[in-house]
Amino acid sequence: FIDAKLRGSKGVGEGELEGELDKALVLFGYIQGKDVFEAFYKRDLAKRLLLGRSASMDAEKLMISKLKAGCGGNFTANIEGMFRDMDVASETMELFRRHHSRTTRLQQQDAAPEG
């Protein structure tokens, strides 16, 4: 349910999404196997992040903050780490693209006939 909401439902605004997440977290409070929820949530979050299927990063971060408020920082530490990893990967890819572009340009200049 949460995965579907965070992937984005057409016609659902931020306020409505927040209300849906709040309702889901009320139910979450009654779950005894929070570690099972965490495993499924992390798997689904990884798919959303890697495939770019998240409705919005603001919604993702809202959910994380709600989980953190309800369960504490230890519960969300690994999940927050996934966001940091995505930021680092994005920065690394941008540096690689710039380097590759610069290297390709230099190779083309070296290969150009003089004259």
Side-chain angles (χ1 to χ4, degrees):
F1 174 79
I2 291 173
D3 180 53
K5 293 295 178 186
L6 290 173
R7 270 188 279 134
S9 300
K10 294 184 176 54
V12 176
E14 283 288 321
E16 189 177 338
L17 176 63
E18 186 172 354
E20 294 289 328
L21 294 178
D22 285 337
K23 289 177 188 176
L25 288 171
V26 168
L27 288 175
F28 174 71
Y30 293 103
I31 295 174
Q32 290 182 3
K34 288 184 176 42
D35 55 334
V36 174
F37 171 85
E38 180 186 15
F40 278 101
Y41 183 80
K42 284 174 23 179
R43 183 198 66 195
D44 292 340
L45 174 63
K47 285 181 184 178
R48 287 192 306 273
L49 291 175
L50 292 172
L51 300 176
R53 293 194 176 153
S54 181
S56 83
M57 286 310 214
D58 290 339
E60 296 287 357
K61 290 181 181 186
L62 175 66
M63 181 63 182
I64 303 298
S65 68
K66 289 180 178 295
L67 284 171
K68 191 173 192 174
C71 301
N74 289 337
F75 187 81
T76 60
N78 289 337
I79 297 169
E80 290 171 317
M82 293 170 76
F83 282 98
R84 285 190 299 277
D85 291 346
M86 288 300 294
D87 290 341
V88 168
S90 189
E91 291 170 12
T92 303
M93 283 303 295
E94 181 57 33
L95 290 171
F96 171 76
R97 284 186 187 108
R98 277 193 248 145
H99 173 74
H100 180 69
S101 175
R102 190 172 39 246
T103 303
T104 303
R105 234 177 310 143
L106 290 173
Q107 288 174 344
Q108 289 172 347
Q109 289 172 355
D110 289 344
E114 293 183 28

